[in-house]
Structure formats: structure tokens, C-alpha cells
């Protein structure tokens, strides 16, 4: 794959794919009827080949083996391809708006990119692609995703080191044994335009190839008043999946995905009087963008995965995956200041980064079912190896007149030059070799062994027990903590009662660990790993002959030694102990043959139990966080979140729908601060806070067998809302304004 990816490359890829597509459209197939019936019979026994029921998922591998989500003894939310299609979703961040109990973090130090809170806890180490770690900091797209599974609660027994809130697993589109092709074109205000193509060609009776492509551009309503520049998203991608032996005893897939982003980043606005600045006497407002088109957020992501599955029988298989991935990213962003960006005023700080992160991942899972001592067993065991190599540096800027480099000590001069001539300052993009400062490097070898058994001890009653052993051996460039070694166990256990196929009641306990905030170690001395424990009581029901799924869960999660996610922070520990108690309720599926729904509500009570003690990196002195923060609500965790998306088919052609995404107020402050007086007013806890909001979207579509036209209106009421919060309290990022998008779709 070439290092650059542009529209010329996209066109070439399409030209290569179209002859195969044309053949698929014209080819006459004559298959023996008996063979056809046999193939259909085999596929009906395989969960992975069963289609989802619209918005209701009927398959997931988030528990390592293919299961119906109804049978997983843990809360699972699945965003199906049909749901994302109807909502005109392009990015993972936008897709996850559908997940209640989830909030978005704004750019955190060196962690700009997809950055979420789930059940009040970070997920920066818990994003996966096809059950393998995808923890690099970049912006993910959905054009090649079949669905997104969110497994809630501590899940380290299944996935390795991680956080407390849960796991976000992206499921790739795979080659299929059929000929099917779809192209779409979309256009909307804020210069929105998108093209996607999904081309699947069956090559032989058991082999196929699938190609997905995407090109998308979008902007926001915010604008720099001096230059007229806006934040923008410019993204392209291509994904290829080749499958051989599909549906046989020996099945092999080779997948490769390349995505490219060329964004103009937006670091949002500051707080004024502890609330987001919406307007002020000097002209500042939520519409003021502080950067320019000369800022950039560039990334190139390449992920190649081989998957081999050997089926010993219908109930026994060995599945092995080998992945090589490289994530390159560089950005230069402007943070907002307290005055307008004019030639005589400072225009905020500069946040720059060059990152190169490489991984090699091998994972092998063996699963089987058998009877022993009159009890039914479902056994899972596996091994995993992950090699990580990370390099991070700061970019250099150059004076456009003299050609001499600016340094960190001349930041004021750089700001003045940008203000006077925003497009005249030359920035090195991520491929450049000019850097300043000392790079941060990290490399690690991770090993894991795990086993889990699910035993039906008596009819309809099942006991689950699992254990995982992780070893991490890492080297860092840090002078204070150059090495890190951990050997940790993780556990998962539970009790399920399934009196029939439509009812599931469960009680589960799971835990997780993380030796540090992923990819760095700042502590002067070795500290205990983060540990989190989740106890969850839940129920799952199926109604309407299985077409409507309803689930509830009540849980409590406690996390010890919570780490900081800001790579520049000298306070490695945020809190000694934090806890979230909560309840969730979700409904997905068909209420009638024409009426579909995806809805949920989550109520969270997230509190600091014990404040942090931190070791000064220079003096070694231990300082405690402000004790007044004990018992206070945790950052960026709304008490309530609500989501509703519903559609109704008026007839065989017309379908209308809409939805609401709502979040309560979210706090932003530094819980490890030794003096948190700024977060109190007359003794009352009153930190910076992003107000709650409700965003309304609408959709209407007219569909024929070969083509369709769809209208999506996002943020119908043009609500000013803040969807991402910088946890430390400095910044908040507004969501986009009202946006209408028309999409045409053609199938052949």
C-alpha cells in the first residue's frame, strides 16, 4: 500500500474493482438444486452467517466465541450495520452516540483521537478490532464495519489489561459467498460529501473477495473570524478481505485496511464563569474557531490480519489470528486563548505531536463443548502475544521569512506570526524529520494464557468461571522509571438461569488490571497496577417471537489506583479509589413488522472514594490531593444518559424515523489537585461543567430493490451543545449545528 492515499488512488482502486463487479452483474449461474439446498442447510447451523434482525443483533464474538447476545452473562450493546446505515454514520465516535452511559473526552494531552468514558471510566486501552487490541490514538471510521459490540464491565479475563468500563469491539466486514455490490454518494451543508463502495465477488464455491472504499469530507459551523477557516474532517480508506475455504472445516481470511485522515483539528472553547463560553462582550462565542487551515491532524493507519479457523466439529474449533499494524500520526493544533485571534493578541498555545506506533499480535483460541459427569461444558482456552513499539516526538515550526525554526521558548513570537499571517507559518507534517525536545519511546512484550469454562450444573442453571494470567515486560525512555514488569491475574465468574430461550437472568463478577495508563510510565517508583472489580445483576428478555430484545442491568464498579491519561501530567495517580453504581435499560428490535426501535437509558452515580497520593518526579516528596474532593461526582460522567432511534415503514418503499440523544451535566476538574479551591463556591462543590443537552435527528428514505434515496437531518433544532469535555477543566468542544444530508444508493 502506498504511503499516500488520495482521490487518484481511490479511482485506481475502483477501476480495478469494477471489472469484477461487472462480471458479477452479468454472470449467469447454474447451480445444481440439491447442492444449493445442502449449502443453505449448512449455513443455517452457523450463528456467524445468520443476519442481524435490523437493529437487533443476533450474533457477537465479544465473548471470544460466536454467541447470541442473549446468551452472554454480561451487558452487551451492539450497533448493527443497519442502524449505522439509517443514521448516516461515518465515524466510530458518531456511532457510539447510541451507547447510553458513554461520554466523549476531548483531546487529552497526547491522547487526541477516539477517547471515551464508559460507565464513568476511560476506555483508552479498551478499543479492539475483531477482538484484537487497537489502542493507538487515532480517529476510526465505520465504512468497513459490520457492527460494533460494547461489552460492559471489567473484561480483562477475556481481553487482557484494560479499564473498568468495558470493551468497544469493532467487527470488520468479511468476504462472503455471494455477489453483492453497493455504492453510495452523499452531499450536505458544511461542505459535506461522501462516497462509499462495497463490492463483494464470489470467486469459487468456497472463496470470495470483498473491497470497501470511502472518501468523506465534512466541516463544522465554527469559524475563525480573521481567516474564515473552519475545522474539517477529510478522510479516505480502502479495505480488502479475501476468504478461502469459507464455510468449510478449514477457513482462512486475509484482511487489510488502510485509512488516512487529513483533518483541521478543533480544540474547542474555554470555560467562562465555570460554564462553556457561548458569548461575551468582546465578540467571542461558541462559533469562534481559534485555529486555521494551516493546523493539521494527519494519520495513516495500516492493519493486516490473517485469520485461520479449523473446525474439528460443529462444537470444537481452533481459531488463530496474526496481525501486523502500524499507526502513524502527526498533528499541530491551536488551543483557544482568552482574547480574539488578532495580530495584537495571543491566540492560545500550540499542541504538537508526531507518533509512530507499531504492533505485532498473535492470538489463538480453542473452544469446545462436551459432557462430563452428567454436566454440559463449554470450554474456552487461549494464548496471546503482543509486541508494541511506540515513538512520540514534538514537531518543529519555522519562520516563513527567515526560514529559521521557532523553539518552545519563542512561542509568543510564533503566536504573533500566526495571527499576522495565519497561512504563512510553515509546519512540518508528520512525515517531516524536524523535531524539538526529547522523544518518548516505549516498547513492550505482552504474554497471556487464559481458560474459561461454562458448566450447566443442573438443567437451565449455568456456572461460569475463568482466569487469565498476563505478563508485561516493557522498556521506557523515562529516566525515573525505565522498566516495568508485571505478572497479574484476572478473573471472571457468574451464575446464569435460562428457564427458556427467551429469558436470561444472571449475576456476574469480573475484574481488570492495567499496569499504567497505556503506553507510558511516569511514576518515580513502581506503583500497584490499576485494578477494577465489577458486580453486575442483569436480565435479558425476548418478546414478539424473538424480534424485540429487552435488557436491564444493575452494577457496581470499584477502581483502585486510577491513572492519569494526560501524557504530560506529573501526577500519575488521579484517585486511590473511585466507584460507579448504576442501572441500565435497553430495548432493541421490532415492535411490529414495520416499526423498529433502538433505545436505552443509563443512570450513573460515580464518586471519588479516596483521593490520590503522588510522588514528585523531581524531589520524591509525596503530596495528597485536596481531601474535599472525596465523595464528589467524577469527571465527565453525567448522572443520566438517554438514547432513542426509531423508524416506521409507511409502505414497501417509504420509511421515516428519528431519534434523540440526551446527556446530563458533566463536570471538568483535576481530581489530583492539591488545592481544589477553584472548584468550590462558598464551600459548595461547583467545578467547571458542560450543561446537559438533547439532540434531535430525523430521517426519511425512499427505497427500491436496486436503488434508494435518503434524507438525514442531524441536530434538527440547531441546538448548541458540547459533546466532548477536556477532563482537566480547560476546554470543551461543541457539537456541529443543523446539517441536512441527502444520500443516493445503488445496488447491483
Amino acid at each position: 500500500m502506498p504511503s499516500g492515499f488520495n482521490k487518484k488512488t481511490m479511482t485506481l482502486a475502483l477501476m480495478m474493482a469494477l471489472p469484477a463487479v461487472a462480471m458479477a452483474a452479468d454472470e449467469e449461474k447454474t447451480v445444481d438444486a440439491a447442492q444449493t439446498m445442502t449449502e443453505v442447510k449448512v449455513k443455517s447451523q452457523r450463528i456467524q452467517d445468520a443476519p442481524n434482525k435490523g437493529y437487533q443483533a443476533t450474533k457477537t464474538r465479544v465473548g471470544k466465541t460466536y454467541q447470541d447476545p442473549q446468551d452472554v452473562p454480561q451487558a452487551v450493546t451492539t450497533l448493527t450495520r443497519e442502524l449505522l446505515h439509517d443514521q448516516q454514520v461515518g465515524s466510530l465516535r458518531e456511532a457510539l452516540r447510541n451507547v447510553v452511559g458513554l461520554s466523549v473526552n476531548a483531546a487529552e494531552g497526547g491522547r487526541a483521537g477516539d477517547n471515551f468514558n464508559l460507565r464513568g471510566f476511560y476506555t483508552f486501552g479498551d478499543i479492539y478490532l475483531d477482538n484484537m487490541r487497537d489502542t493507538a490514538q487515532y480517529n476510526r471510521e465505520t465504512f468497513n464495519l459490520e457492527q460494533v459490540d460494547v461489552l460492559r464491565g471489567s473484561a480483562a479475563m477475556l481481553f487482557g489489561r484494560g479499564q473498568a468500563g468495558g470493551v468497544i469491539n469493532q467487527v470488520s466486514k468479511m468476504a462472503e459467498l455471494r455477489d453483492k455490490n453497493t455504492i453510495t454518494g452523499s452531499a450536505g451543508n458544511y461542505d459535506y460529501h461522501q462516497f462509499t463502495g462495497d463490492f463483494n465477488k464470489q470467486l469459487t464455491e468456497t472463496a470470495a473477495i470483498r473491497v470497501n472504499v470511502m472518501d468523506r469530507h465534512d466541516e463544522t459551523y465554527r469559524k475563525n473570524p480573521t481567516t474564515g477557516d473552519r475545522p474539517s474532517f477529510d478522510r479516505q480508506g480502502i479495505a480488502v478481505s479475501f476468504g478461502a475455504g469459507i464455510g468449510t472445516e478449514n477457513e482462512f481470511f486475509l484482511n487489510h485496511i488502510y485509512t488516512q485522515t487529513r483533518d483541521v483539528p478543533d480544540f474547542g472553547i474555554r470555560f467562562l464563569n465555570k460554564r462553556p463560553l457561548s458569548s461575551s462582550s468582546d465578540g467571542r462565542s461558541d462559533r469562534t474557531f481559534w485555529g486555521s487551515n494551516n493546523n493539521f491532524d494527519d494519520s495513516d493507519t495500516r492493519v493486516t490480519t490473517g485469520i485461520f479457523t479449523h473446525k474439528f466439529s460443529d462444537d470444537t474449533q481452533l481459531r488463530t489470528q496474526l496481525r501486523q499494524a502500524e499507526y502513524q500520526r502527526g498533528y499541530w493544533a491551536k488551543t483557544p486563548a482568552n482574547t480574539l485571534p488578532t495580530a495584537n493578541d495571543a491566540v492560545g498555545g500550540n499542541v504538537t505531536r508526531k507518533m509512530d506506533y507499531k504492533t505485532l499480535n498473535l492470538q489463538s483460541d480453542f473452544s469446545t463443548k462436551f459432557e462430563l459427569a452428567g454436566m454440559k461444558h463449554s470450554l474456552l482456552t487461549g494464548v496471546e502475544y503482543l509486541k508494541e513499539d511506540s515513538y512520540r516526538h514534538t514537531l518543529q515550526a519555522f519562520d516563513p521569512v527567515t526560514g529559521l525554526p521557532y523553539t518552545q521558548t519563542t512561542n509568543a513570537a510564533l503566536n504573533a506570526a500566526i495571527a499576522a499571517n495565519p497561512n504563512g507559518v510553515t509546519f512540518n507534517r508528520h512525515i517531516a524529520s524536524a523535531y524539538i525536545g526529547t522523544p518518548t519511546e516505549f516498547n513492550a512484550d505482552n504474554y497471556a494464557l487464559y481458560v474459561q469454562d461454562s458448566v450447566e450444573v443442573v438443567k437451565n442453571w449455568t456456572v461460569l468461571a475463568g482466569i487469565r494470567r498476563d505478563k508485561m515486560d516493557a522498556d521506557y525512555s523515562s529516566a525515573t522509571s525505565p522498566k516495568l514488569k508485571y505478572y497479574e491475574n484476572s478473573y471472571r465468574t457468574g451464575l446464569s438461569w435460562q428457564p427458556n430461550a427467551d429469558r436470561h437472568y444472571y449475576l456476574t463478577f469480573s475484574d481488570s488490571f492495567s499496569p499504567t495508563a497505556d503506553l507510558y510510565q511516569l511514576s518515580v517508583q513502581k506503583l500497584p497496577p490499576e485494578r477494577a472489580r465489577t458486580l453486575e445483576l442483569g436480565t435479558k428478555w425476548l418478546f414478539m417471537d424473538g424480534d424485540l430484545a429487552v435488557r436491564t442491568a444493575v452494577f457496581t464498579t470499584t477502581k483502585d489506583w486510577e491513572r492519569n491519561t494526560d501524557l504530560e501530567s506529573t501526577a500519575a495517580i488521579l484517585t486511590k479509589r473511585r466507584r460507579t453504581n448504576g442501572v441500565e435499560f435497553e430495548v432493541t428490535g421490532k415492535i411490529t413488522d414495520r416499526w423498529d426501535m433502538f433505545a436505552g437509558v443509563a443512570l450513573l452515580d460515580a464518586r471519588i472514594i479516596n483521593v490520590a497520593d503522588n510522588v514528585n518526579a523531581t524531589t520524591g516528596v509525596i503530596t495528597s490531593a485536596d481531601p474535599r474532593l472525596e465523595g464528589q461526582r467524577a469527571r465527565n460522567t453525567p448522572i443520566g444518559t438517554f438514547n432513542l432511534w426509531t423508524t416506521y415503514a409507511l409502505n414497501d418503499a417509504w420509511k421515516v424515523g428519528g431519534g434523540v440523544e440526551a446527556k446530563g451535566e458533566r463536570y471538568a476538574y483535576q481530581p489530583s489537585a492539591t488545592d481544589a479551591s477553584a472548584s468550590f463556591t462558598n464551600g459548595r462543590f461547583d467545578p467547571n461543567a458542560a450543561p446537559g443537552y438533547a439532540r434531535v435527528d430525523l430521517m426519511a428514505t425512499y427505497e427500491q430493490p436496486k436503488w434508494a434515496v435518503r434524507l438525514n437531518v442531524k441536530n434538527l433544532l440547531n441546538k448548541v451543545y458540547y459533546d466532548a469535555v477536556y477532563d482537566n477543566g480547560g476546554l470543551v468542544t461543541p457539537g456541529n449545528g443543523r446539517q441536512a444530508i441527502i444520500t443516493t444508493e445503488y445496488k447491483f
Side-chain angles (χ1 to χ4, degrees):
M1 187 65 62
S3 60
F5 186 84
N6 49 35
K7 292 179 174 59
K8 183 177 180 181
T9 310
M10 176 78 75
T11 303
L12 179 60
L14 288 176
M15 291 176 63
M16 295 173 64
L18 285 175
V21 171
M23 291 175 61
D26 298 335
E27 184 179 6
E28 295 289 337
K29 295 181 176 63
T30 56
V31 182
D32 182 80
Q35 292 178 340
T36 303
M37 292 299 293
T38 301
E39 181 182 356
V40 171
K41 181 178 179 181
V42 171
K43 285 193 172 185
S44 68
Q45 298 173 353
R46 301 175 64 221
I47 295 176
Q48 56 264 48
D49 289 328
N52 287 323
K53 297 179 180 179
Y55 302 160
Q56 180 194 353
T58 59
K59 57 182 180 179
T60 179
R61 195 187 277 276
V62 76
K64 289 288 191 181
T65 60
Y66 265 117
Q67 295 174 276
D68 189 320
Q70 178 74 7
D71 298 327
V72 179
Q74 206 162 329
V76 179
T77 299
T78 296
L79 313 178
T80 65
R81 180 176 57 182
E82 292 79 7
L83 175 68
L84 304 185
H85 171 273
D86 285 354
Q87 293 180 342
Q88 189 62 22
V89 166
S91 67
L92 178 66
R93 172 171 166 170
E94 188 177 5
L96 291 174
R97 292 181 181 279
N98 294 286
V99 179
V100 293
L102 182 142
S103 51
V104 180
N105 297 316
E108 297 281 344
R111 296 196 175 277
D114 289 333
N115 196 332
F116 310 102
N117 273 10
L118 184 59
R119 287 184 170 178
F121 299 99
Y122 294 115
T123 61
F124 54 79
D126 297 320
I127 300 180
Y128 286 74
L129 177 63
D130 299 319
N131 285 64
M132 302 183 82
R133 291 177 70 87
D134 184 41
T135 56
Q137 291 302 302
Y138 71 105
N139 296 292
R140 297 160 177 84
E141 296 292 297
T142 61
F143 74 100
N144 192 49
L145 296 185
E146 186 69 30
Q147 63 189 48
V148 180
D149 294 319
V150 180
L151 177 69
R152 300 165 187 267
S154 308
M157 182 267 136
L158 292 172
F159 291 92
R161 73 179 194 265
Q163 306 305 309
V167 165
I168 299 169
N169 184 49
Q170 307 159 89
V171 181
S172 298
K173 295 178 181 178
M174 308 283 277
E176 301 175 341
L177 293 178
R178 59 175 175 171
D179 293 340
K180 184 177 181 181
N181 309 283
T182 304
I183 58 174
T184 71
S186 305
N189 55 322
Y190 298 119
D191 201 21
Y192 179 97
H193 50 272
Q194 175 177 272
F195 167 81
T196 66
D198 185 350
F199 310 105
N200 193 94
K201 173 65 178 176
Q202 182 172 344
L203 303 175
T204 68
E205 290 184 357
T206 61
I209 189 169
R210 187 171 186 175
V211 178
N212 276 269
V213 293
M214 176 274 300
D215 188 341
R216 178 166 64 90
H217 179 85
D218 193 11
E219 297 180 359
T220 79
Y221 76 101
R222 287 162 48 74
K223 184 170 66 173
N224 186 307
T226 303
T227 65
D229 296 338
R230 297 179 184 271
S232 64
F233 311 93
D234 196 354
R235 303 176 180 181
Q236 295 83 36
I238 182 169
V240 180
S241 174
F242 169 76
I246 301 174
T248 69
E249 294 178 351
N250 295 290
E251 190 175 65
F252 175 73
F253 286 94
L254 181 61
N255 300 334
H256 178 79
I257 181 170
Y258 170 74
T259 57
Q260 171 186 283
T261 68
R262 297 294 184 262
D263 297 349
V264 175
D266 184 2
F267 259 60
I269 62 177
R270 295 200 180 275
F271 287 88
L272 179 66
N273 298 324
K274 300 188 176 183
R275 294 298 179 267
L277 183 154
S278 58
S279 63
S280 64
S281 59
D282 61 8
R284 290 176 298 162
S285 74
D286 57 278
R287 293 180 170 272
T288 304
F289 170 52
W290 298 88
S292 76
N293 288 343
N294 211 30
N295 297 146
F296 61 87
D297 184 350
D298 294 353
S299 68
D300 295 273
T301 301
R302 300 170 178 83
V303 180
T304 303
T305 309
I307 308 171
F308 177 72
T309 304
H310 176 67
K311 303 180 182 70
F312 299 92
S313 67
D314 288 343
D315 294 329
T316 304
Q317 70 173 29
L318 177 66
R319 187 172 190 264
T320 301
Q321 297 187 87
L322 177 63
R323 170 175 297 165
Q324 191 277 332
E326 182 173 2
Y327 311 85
Q328 292 179 310
R329 188 177 183 199
Y331 64 87
W332 189 297
K334 179 62 61 181
T335 59
N338 296 318
T339 56
L340 281 175
T342 66
N344 297 320
D345 293 320
V347 293
N350 301 294
V351 179
T352 75
R353 187 74 69 244
K354 160 68 170 72
M355 294 176 286
D356 193 345
Y357 178 52
K358 298 178 182 179
T359 63
L360 179 65
N361 199 178
L362 175 64
Q363 180 177 294
S364 188
D365 297 313
F366 175 78
S367 59
T368 186
K369 296 180 180 179
F370 59 92
E371 286 195 20
L372 181 65
M375 294 181 288
K376 296 179 180 179
H377 293 253
S378 295
L379 179 68
L380 166 69
T381 184
V383 295
E384 184 174 355
Y385 169 72
L386 170 66
K387 182 174 182 59
E388 300 171 276
D389 190 353
S390 176
Y391 178 88
R392 189 176 72 252
H393 215 148
T394 300
L395 293 178
Q396 175 71 67
F398 293 87
D399 188 305
V401 178
T402 66
L404 298 176
Y406 287 102
T407 67
Q408 290 177 313
T409 58
T410 60
N411 195 53
L414 175 59
N415 284 337
I418 296 173
N421 186 9
N423 294 313
V425 177
T426 302
F427 297 98
N428 283 295
R429 305 187 85 84
H430 73 285
I431 58 174
S433 59
Y435 310 115
I436 55 176
T438 303
T440 299
E441 297 179 80
F442 164 93
N443 60 77
D445 292 293
N446 305 268
Y447 308 87
L449 173 66
Y450 45 93
V451 61
Q452 175 183 279
D453 196 8
S454 182
V455 186
E456 187 179 40
V457 291
V458 296
K459 185 175 178 60
N460 301 328
W461 288 87
T462 302
V463 174
L464 173 72
I467 183 173
R468 179 183 179 116
R469 179 70 167 175
D470 278 276
K471 174 187 176 183
M472 180 182 185
D473 190 348
D475 294 318
Y476 298 82
S477 60
S478 169
T480 56
S481 50
K483 289 186 177 296
L484 180 66
K485 289 187 178 181
Y486 274 94
Y487 303 83
E488 293 289 331
N489 292 339
S490 303
Y491 305 93
R492 184 177 186 231
T493 185
L495 176 66
S496 291
W497 178 44
Q498 292 181 272
N500 55 56
D502 295 338
R503 300 289 184 272
H504 186 183
Y505 307 88
Y506 65 88
L507 176 66
T508 59
F509 170 84
S510 58
D511 78 339
S512 66
F513 87 96
S514 180
T516 68
D518 263 348
L519 307 184
Y520 85 114
Q521 169 77 343
L522 284 177
S523 56
V524 178
Q525 59 191 30
K526 183 178 178 180
L527 295 169
E530 293 178 296
R531 295 232 53 125
R533 301 165 300 281
T534 298
L535 184 66
E536 179 175 301
L537 176 66
T539 61
K540 299 183 180 184
W541 303 282
L542 293 177
F543 300 99
M544 309 296 182
D545 295 326
D547 288 339
L548 185 70
V550 179
R551 76 161 185 88
T552 61
V554 180
F555 67 91
T556 180
T557 298
T558 302
K559 186 173 188 177
D560 297 330
W561 298 99
E562 179 187 16
R563 296 298 203 274
N564 202 320
T565 63
D566 190 330
L567 301 180
E568 279 66 53
S569 174
T570 57
I573 306 300
L574 288 176
T575 61
K576 266 190 176 180
R577 174 165 292 182
R578 189 155 72 80
R579 179 175 296 132
T580 299
N581 299 323
V583 58
E584 299 165 348
F585 181 81
E586 279 189 350
V587 179
T588 59
K590 289 183 174 293
I591 299 176
T592 69
D593 289 341
R594 294 182 178 273
W595 185 7
D596 288 88
M597 178 176 290
F598 185 99
V601 62
L603 300 175
L604 304 177
D605 182 20
R607 301 282 173 178
I608 295 174
I609 307 302
N610 300 120
V611 296
D613 289 328
N614 276 292
V615 182
N616 186 286
T618 303
T619 65
V621 174
I622 298 176
T623 57
S624 296
D626 194 322
R628 291 178 294 176
L629 294 174
E630 290 191 354
Q632 304 300 342
R633 180 149 58 96
R635 307 180 301 173
N636 201 11
T637 306
I639 293 176
T641 59
F642 171 75
N643 183 79
L644 168 67
W645 178 265
T646 183
T647 59
Y648 188 82
L650 301 175
N651 51 43
D652 291 340
W654 283 99
K655 182 169 69 173
V656 296
V660 178
E661 178 218 353
K663 282 183 172 60
E665 182 182 62
R666 290 145 293 154
Y667 287 162
Y669 64 95
Q670 177 53 268
S672 61
T674 56
D675 183 2
S677 297
S679 295
F680 288 84
T681 301
N682 298 324
R684 177 177 58 89
F685 189 54
D686 183 28
N688 288 345
Y693 69 88
R695 186 184 109 168
V696 178
D697 299 340
L698 289 183
M699 181 217 71
T701 183
Y702 181 81
E703 186 169 1
Q704 292 296 307
K706 292 291 185 180
W707 60 273
V709 177
R710 184 175 65 254
L711 170 66
N712 290 87
V713 182
K714 301 183 179 184
N715 194 6
L716 175 71
L717 304 179
N718 204 26
K719 174 78 172 180
V720 176
Y721 68 99
Y722 304 94
D723 65 345
V725 176
Y726 186 88
D727 277 351
N728 287 345
L731 305 167
V732 63
T733 305
N736 206 1
R738 182 191 299 119
Q739 187 175 40
I741 300 172
I742 295 180
T743 301
T744 59
E745 182 177 280
Y746 179 59
K747 303 175 183 179
F748 56 98

